Structures are given as structure tokens and as C-alpha cells.
Amino acid sequence: MNGNFTIPKFKLPDFVASLGQKLPQWPHALVLVGALNAALKMKLLPESELAMLEDKLFRVRVLDTGGEASYTYRQGLFRPVFRPERDPDLAFAANLSAFLQLLARQEDPDTLFFNRELEITGDTELGLIVKNMLDAVEWPKLPRLPLASS
Amino acid sequence: MSSLPDLVCPAGSLPALKAAVDNGADAVYLGYKNDTNARNFAGLNFDAKSMAEGVRYAHAKGREVLMAINTFPQAGRTADWHAAVDGAVDQGVDAIILADIGLLDYATRKHPQQRLHLSVQGSATSYEAINFCQREFGVRRAVLPRVLTLAQVEHVIKNTSVEIEVFGFGSLCVMNEGRCWLSSYACGESPNTVGACSPAKYVKWDKKPGAMETRLNGILIDRFGDDEPAGYPTLCKGRFEVQGEIYYALEEPTSLNVLELLPDIIKIGVKAIKVEGRQRSPTYVAQVTRTLRAALDAARDSAERFHVKPVWQAELAKVSEGSQATLGAYNRPWR
Ligand code: SF4
């Protein structure tokens, strides 16, 4: 699916995480939310499933960079949440390499989950909806990202 | 030598269907987004529009589409299952996979030309049961439950003209398909009633320091240490205390993997090999399809010199539930 290039499994050294925790967290949230909204605009995400995300709080945590982003879906848009006031409805945690492998469709989420490389906590049904929604997306053939070319 | 079995692969979404076709599946199987099929999970499966596109895509490349309508009609709602059968015929699928005898009867009367397969959920393990379905409903293929040894599969094949399909890879639903009520015991819903085992709304993954706990409707099913592989949250794969000992009392979280047995499976005349996993992502479908395609082609080219390549095993082991593989019942000594 991505030529001969494969993203290796790696873990960044621990000091990266402690650095990351000291940095402001909002850039991650903005990038993530920007990407999700771009997918919305291209009508890649199905309406019926989107309705089930309304007002839910999501958190994505990149363990080895110490980065964290929270966001929600409200009235047709994904929005960053900078200071979440409650526990998220659904939380994902993994090292950067696992997230990259998922995004590149190089590894399957269940595989990563079975192997304990991806942690999913919170509302399991919501997790399944999100997973299946992303699996069903037919990503347009983009010009190859530098990351995904060999 | 017998001809090569068809490779039948799962499609829970359009990208998964395309991944199967592009990586060498001879057929894909799929279902509607509702409880007429046994993988009725939120966000999964096909509506009429995506199904039409899937059928078009597969047929354009000369592959078959099999539609699973493999749950049992619930009281007062048979019309929903009849509509699903009619819809499948309209979509032009190559075969419909059915489990319920009433539904088989409906399908064969209403659509006598439609090819019908007997689902694994139909629990037919003997040639008598299979020949009955052939005589009464014109069933052309039966999917055998994963409880038979290879010798028993061969015995069935020798005594029926119905095509036989067996499972080749995927998570195991132990020993009781079509009859299992474990999930209902915990949460009142089972595959044959609502189309899902251990529905996600009852499942809770709880991260504790040093361990992760899995609960199904409040019942503790398993506790994994940080380095232990995890499995699906089904009762059959839980660890329980039995007479003072905690262990996998029913079945370990494993995947079935028949690579080693491929030459035998081909030799006894199995017509199709099925891959489990409509709930998995397109990535899994691509990985497993590609691997089994390569193995089947190698077995065709030289059955005598066939050996399982380590890369195939590694690829399949990686995606396995519990990261373990087993030959399941095929090589068990029981009778
Ligand atoms: S509890 Fe286990 S054996 Fe029973 S239906 Fe679920 S997966 Fe299959």
C-alpha cells in the first residue's frame, strides 16, 4: 500500500517525553483537528456515524514524545479542547511509530492492540465506531508523501 | 491432483473489499449494516450503495461476492431477513450464505436460481446434514464448523457432492458456532440473536497500574500484565478461577492458522478456504490475503516440495489474536 517503504517500530528515548511534557500541547491538537476537518470537508467521513460522535471528548496521547491532544466533535466540526474538564470518553495512547503505522495503513489497529502497542480506554463502542469509520474511508490518492515513498 | 481451493476473504468495508481483491482473493464475503449478519458492529459493513460498488469492483476483476445473512430471524421480524435476501439477489451477488433453515426455504422458493451456501453458523458437521440441505434447499456449498479433524473433513467430502469450505485463518470462535450462548449469559445478546458476540457497549477496558482489566457487562474476563498479549473480550477466551486455579478455562486467545496443512487440504478436495475477520481493518485483509495467496500458489506449483516459509508465518503470527497460532481441531486426535 505504501510501496517498499515500511515504518519501523521504534521508541524515542525517554528524555524526549520529559521534554515534550514541558512544551505547550496546543499545536498537536490544532494539527490533528485540522486534518480531521479537512477529511470532513472532502466528505470522506460518513454522516450517520459522525452523528454518534457529537459532544464526545477524545484524547490522543503520544507516549514517547509526551505530546497530548484533546478534541471534540460539535455541530459538524472537530474542535480542539485545550483544558479538558473531565475524563475523555475515548482515549488512545501509543508510541509515535505505532500511530504512524496506523496512519499509513501499515498495521491494523487490532494487531497493535493485541500486541499491547496501542492502548484504547473509555467507551469501547465509541472506539469501535471511530475505528470502523476510519477503516471505511477511501483516502484519495494523494501525491505521495515524502514519508511514504521509497 | 485436485484443483486449488478458492481463497475467500472478509470485507467489512469497501477499502477492505478492494484490499482483498487486489491481493489475490478469489471471493470476498460481506454483509449489510444490520443484525442480519454475524458481524453487526457499529460502523462496519455495507449499505446498498457501497455494496453495489463492491460488487462492481469484484466482478470487474473476475472475483466472486458472497453475501452473509447468517443470523437467525428474530420473532416478529422475519420480514427484515427476507428483505435482506431479496436485496442480495438484486445486488447480483454470486451466492448468499445462510444459516437458518426457514430462510433457506424462503430463498430457494422465492429465488430458485440463486446460489446458496450453508453458513458455518448452520452447524452442519455431518454429510447427512449437508446432503439434507442440498436435497431440500439446493445448497451448493457448506462451510464446516471449526470442530472437525482433517480426517473427518475428508470423510464428509467423500460422501457429498456439495462443495466444502473450511476455515483457514483467523480468530477462533471455539467449538460451538451457531449454538453458543456464552455472550448472552453475560449480557443478554449473542451472535445468533443480535449479530455480535460480546457487543462493544458492554465491554470495558480498564487500565490499572501494571495491568489492564477487561470487563463484559461488569464481569471480569481477564487481566493482562503490561507485556502480555491481549485478546477479544469474549467469555470463551477469559481467564477464570476454577477450583482454586486461574487459567484459560475454555480456550486461549489464539488464531487458527492452517498453512502447514495446505497440501493436505488441497489433496482431500476442499473447495474453498475462508479467512475470518470482517471486523478487522483493510490492512489486516491485505496482509492475510497476500500471504495465503502466496502459500496457495506455492502449493499448486509443487505440492511435494511445499514448505511453510518463515515470512508467511511471521506475517500471520503478527496479526493473530493473542499472537499465537494453532491448527485448531484439524490435527486433534479426537473422534
Ligand atoms: S463466546 Fe466465544 S465461542 Fe461463543 S460466540 Fe463468542 S467467540 Fe464464539
Side-chain angles (χ1 to χ4, degrees):
Chain A
M1 217 164 277
N2 38 25
N4 295 322
F5 183 88
T6 48
I7 300 163
K9 180 175 159 186
F10 60 81
K11 180 178 182 300
L12 298 172
D14 289 344
F15 73 85
V16 180
S18 45
L19 272 182
Q21 276 154 14
K22 299 198 179 76
L23 298 173
Q25 296 299 328
W26 55 267
H28 311 299
L30 289 183
V31 171
L32 186 65
V33 163
L36 285 169
N37 284 330
L40 273 185
K41 271 209 203 87
M42 290 190 276
K43 300 222 176 302
L44 292 177
L45 307 176
E47 313 249 326
S48 54
E49 273 102 35
L50 277 172
M52 297 189 254
L53 308 187
E54 189 76 17
D55 268 332
K56 303 283 187 202
L57 185 61
F58 302 92
R59 185 181 68 206
V60 176
R61 189 175 269 165
V62 185
L63 296 169
D64 55 353
T65 68
E68 179 175 311
S70 292
Y71 62 97
T72 184
Y73 177 79
R74 197 177 308 126
Q75 294 164 353
L77 274 185
F78 288 97
R79 303 158 197 269
V81 177
F82 298 113
R83 269 186 220 88
E85 277 158 9
R86 60 186 179 94
D87 284 342
D89 295 293
L90 183 65
F92 298 94
N95 287 333
L96 184 62
S97 71
F99 279 125
L100 291 177
Q101 289 175 332
L102 270 183
L103 285 178
R105 287 203 169 152
Q106 185 182 312
E107 289 302 345
D108 158 82
D110 290 21
T111 299
L112 295 174
F113 184 80
F114 291 151
N115 298 337
R116 307 297 301 278
E117 288 171 50
L118 171 68
E119 203 181 286
I120 306 171
T121 41
D123 180 340
T124 314
E125 182 159 50
L126 189 60
L128 208 56
I129 294 171
V130 170
K131 183 196 96 143
N132 289 334
M133 190 168 98
L134 294 177
D135 276 349
V137 170
E138 292 217 76
W139 301 112
K141 291 232 170 10
L142 298 169
R144 290 202 152 188
L145 304 168
L147 181 74
S149 64
S150 42
Chain B
M1 196 183 115
S2 322
S3 61
L4 212 57
D6 282 357
L7 180 58
V8 181
C9 296
S13 65
L14 205 46
L17 180 146
K18 293 182 179 176
V21 168
D22 295 347
N23 284 283
D26 298 300
V28 293
Y29 65 101
L30 41 70
Y32 279 121
K33 272 183 188 292
N34 61 31
D35 57 1
T36 61
N37 78 93
R39 286 286 185 280
N40 179 28
F41 297 137
L44 201 67
N45 295 323
F46 289 76
D47 54 23
K49 184 163 155 256
S50 54
M51 189 164 303
E53 187 176 341
V55 171
R56 202 177 319 122
Y57 190 87
H59 284 173
K61 303 212 170 180
R63 318 302 167 81
E64 293 187 337
V65 177
L66 317 178
M67 163 92 103
I69 305 179
N70 54 355
T71 51
F72 293 80
Q74 296 300 294
R77 290 184 47 216
T78 39
D80 293 352
W81 274 261
H82 291 173
V85 170
D86 299 342
V89 174
D90 289 344
Q91 289 273 2
V93 300
D94 298 276
I96 309 179
I97 309 170
L98 297 170
D100 179 67
I101 282 187
L103 219 48
L104 280 163
D105 182 58
Y106 171 83
T108 190
R109 284 167 196 268
K110 181 99 187 272
H111 310 285
Q113 300 305 319
Q114 179 66 49
R115 193 169 111 203
L116 303 178
H117 291 183
L118 181 65
S119 164
V120 63
Q121 303 293 125
S123 269
T125 48
S126 67
Y127 64 80
E128 288 93 339
I130 292 166
N131 289 339
F132 168 82
C133 290
Q134 180 184 40
R135 192 178 70 231
E136 297 300 319
F137 316 117
V139 160
R140 304 261 285 275
R141 183 185 297 176
V143 187
L144 294 185
R146 287 158 277 193
V147 299
L148 299 181
T149 64
L150 213 54
Q152 290 170 323
V153 173
E154 185 176 15
H155 185 64
V156 170
I157 291 174
K158 284 203 172 119
N159 289 284
T160 183
S161 57
V162 175
E163 299 171 357
I164 295 300
E165 178 170 321
V166 302
F167 275 85
F169 184 78
S171 277
L172 274 177
C173 167
V174 291
M175 305 311 146
N176 249 321
E177 21 215 342
R179 294 179 189 155
C180 178
W181 292 90
L182 280 173
S183 176
S184 282
Y185 171 78
C187 54
E189 299 183 8
S190 273
N192 294 335
T193 59
V194 303
C197 178
S198 316
K201 61 175 183 270
Y202 299 108
V203 176
K204 189 95 192 149
W205 305 99
D206 236 344
K207 181 79 183 138
K208 303 251 157 91
M212 183 174 71
E213 288 185 357
T214 317
R215 285 177 189 276
L216 182 60
N217 206 15
I219 301 174
L220 181 64
I221 289 196
D222 210 343
R223 183 182 288 133
F224 304 100
D226 279 345
D227 298 321
E228 271 186 291
Y232 283 120
T234 60
L235 268 186
C236 62
K237 289 165 190 162
R239 268 182 282 200
F240 304 100
E241 189 183 322
V242 182
Q243 297 178 334
E245 247 190 281
I246 297 175
Y247 65 108
Y248 291 106
L250 298 162
E251 179 78 48
E252 302 210 359
T254 52
S255 290
L256 176 72
N257 175 355
V258 301
L259 276 186
E260 267 174 54
L261 299 176
L262 273 187
D264 300 315
I265 287 178
I266 296 170
K267 196 169 79 209
I268 63 175
V270 165
K271 176 68 180 132
I273 294 183
K274 180 169 213 150
V275 174
E276 184 272 352
R278 275 192 289 141
Q279 74 284 12
R280 302 286 292 261
S281 70
T283 309
Y284 163 94
V285 174
Q287 289 165 330
V288 177
T289 305
R290 198 188 307 132
T291 306
L292 284 174
R293 181 78 269 158
L296 277 169
D297 290 348
R300 177 196 52 210
D301 294 343
S302 74
E304 300 78 42
R305 276 180 290 121
F306 177 82
H307 68 277
V308 177
K309 291 205 179 133
V311 287
W312 302 338
Q313 284 300 28
E315 185 80 347
L316 295 185
K318 183 178 71 185
V319 303
S320 291
E321 187 186 5
S323 309
Q324 290 185 43
T326 154
L327 292 171
Y330 293 126
N331 72 337
R332 293 216 175 136
W334 70 48
R335 289 256 151 177

